[in-house]
Amino acid sequence: MSVRITTPFSATSTAAEVVQGIDLTSRRAVVTGGASGIGVETARALAGAGAEVTLAVRDTAAGDRTAADIIATTGNKAVFVSRLDLADQDSVAAFTADWDGPLHILVNNAGIMASPLMRTPQGWEMQFATNHLGHFALARGLHGALAAAGGARVVSVSSSAHLRSPVVFDDIHFIEREYEPWAAYGQSKTANVLFAVEGTRRWAADGITVNALMPGAIQTNLQRYVSEEELNRLRAQMGGGDFLWKTPEQGAATSVLVATSPLLDGVGGRYFEDCAEAEPNVAGSRRGVAAYALDPAAAQRLWEVTEQTLAA
């Protein structure tokens, strides 16, 4: 039985606090969605600790503005921008083909949440295609670079929304079942955790560990498809008056912890929230991790299904 990992940090810790005292000089990092929301603060904290950081973004103009801001605030000039559209497998392939040299930290941070039904040209449901398939292809395409780094870490940004749905293998892309935005989002976030489980199993021998996390509730453009009324309804669901929004700096803390903390050396296949490994979910609560998200058999099945999907 593995020992649950705790840290001196909490829900209110910031990314800068988590990385304080850690030297990332000569380390290279990629942050997807690094031009908005918690991606910016994740990238800023890594750059502030001395890492070379590449912002992998759809909107390179926004990426350039963010890079300039991070350079100005950290004094680290090694902040770069590269185009990446996770919903476009050609874009993912171009990014990975263009990468040269080792990669020490990959933060799979970008995402789409609770969108109306949209499909890629292949017919894949857009949330699953972006949040899981795109990040899977990215990590797999960068596997050689991660292995070359020795002790590389992959950070899979999930959500407590994974509690809304397991991966429904019989109809992942909502061909037969009625589309429900939150069920689709939840399924994709469960996939992010399962990826950490199987990715660690397959790649630990290459020195690569993968962990998943819940950043917390942060008001960013991730909510672009969610109305204020819907947000209020969700807030009531999650405890009403006890519910607290995190700042982007606090929201990035768990990502940065998973990416950098010495406490996680050699540790993979786990799910973190509020800067500590999560407890098992208790039915009716919105905290912790669902057993189905850590199920090794489901993780292996998802990996195989994903490879088949991407090869089709």
Side-chain angles (χ1 to χ4, degrees):
M1 187 69 184
S2 60
V3 177
R4 177 173 169 262
I5 294 173
T6 59
T7 78
F9 306 105
S10 69
T12 58
S13 298
T14 65
E17 290 167 350
V18 163
V19 82
Q20 188 172 4
I22 296 175
D23 183 6
L24 298 179
T25 306
S26 79
R27 303 290 182 91
R28 305 173 78 207
V30 168
V31 181
T32 69
S36 64
I38 64 170
V40 176
E41 300 310 324
T42 300
R44 192 190 312 278
L46 297 175
E52 173 196 303
V53 180
T54 296
L55 310 178
V57 297
R58 282 189 306 171
D59 182 347
T60 53
D64 289 340
R65 290 191 296 273
T66 301
D69 174 57
I70 292 173
I71 290 166
T73 56
T74 65
N76 182 349
K77 293 184 172 57
V79 183
F80 307 107
V81 178
S82 188
R83 188 175 185 281
L84 175 67
D85 181 349
L86 289 160
D88 178 353
Q89 286 293 318
D90 289 339
S91 174
V92 176
F95 182 95
T96 60
D98 202 38
W99 185 266
D100 186 44
L103 175 61
H104 303 82
I105 298 168
L106 171 61
V107 185
N108 288 336
N109 165 82
I112 180 174
M113 182 175 81
S115 64
L117 178 59
M118 297 184 285
R119 298 192 184 278
T120 68
Q122 297 90 341
W124 304 333
E125 188 276 314
M126 187 61 76
Q127 295 189 77
F128 193 81
T130 301
N131 299 347
H132 172 63
L133 295 176
H135 278 130
F136 179 97
L138 177 67
R140 189 177 60 171
L142 292 170
H143 173 267
L146 293 162
R153 296 187 186 185
V154 180
V155 179
S156 188
V157 179
S158 180
S159 168
S160 61
H162 84 273
L163 298 166
R164 293 176 175 272
S165 178
V167 173
V168 180
F169 287 102
D170 290 342
D171 189 13
I172 286 174
H173 298 287
F174 293 85
I175 305 302
E176 302 294 336
R177 57 183 171 140
E178 184 178 353
Y179 180 74
E180 201 286 304
W182 287 108
Y185 182 63
Q187 172 179 250
S188 73
K189 295 289 104 179
T190 292
N192 292 153
V193 189
L194 292 172
F195 169 72
V197 173
E198 183 67 3
T200 294
R201 188 184 76 82
R202 288 180 180 244
W203 293 349
D206 301 315
I208 303 166
T209 54
V210 191
N211 285 293
L213 68 106
M214 155 65 170
I218 309 102
Q219 288 185 298
T220 69
N221 63 3
L222 182 65
Q223 288 103 6
R224 68 175 69 91
Y225 295 112
V226 186
S227 67
E228 195 62 37
E229 293 75 18
E230 179 73 353
L231 282 176
N232 288 334
R233 185 182 71 79
L234 293 172
R235 179 177 172 175
Q237 260 185 12
M238 292 188 281
D242 298 328
F243 178 75
L244 294 174
W245 291 104
K246 289 186 179 184
T247 66
E249 293 85 357
Q250 292 169 334
T254 307
S255 294
V256 173
L257 177 102
V258 169
T260 65
S261 174
L263 296 170
L264 271 72
D265 282 346
V267 172
R270 306 194 193 187
Y271 175 91
F272 291 77
E273 63 186 356
D274 294 339
C275 294
E277 185 177 352
E279 301 271 13
N281 173 251
V282 176
S285 89
R286 303 304 300 169
R287 291 188 58 78
V289 61
Y292 57 68
L294 295 176
D295 176 26
Q300 185 170 352
R301 184 180 181 187
L302 177 63
W303 193 283
E304 292 165 356
V305 166
T306 302
E307 288 189 326
Q308 291 162 7
T309 300
L310 295 176

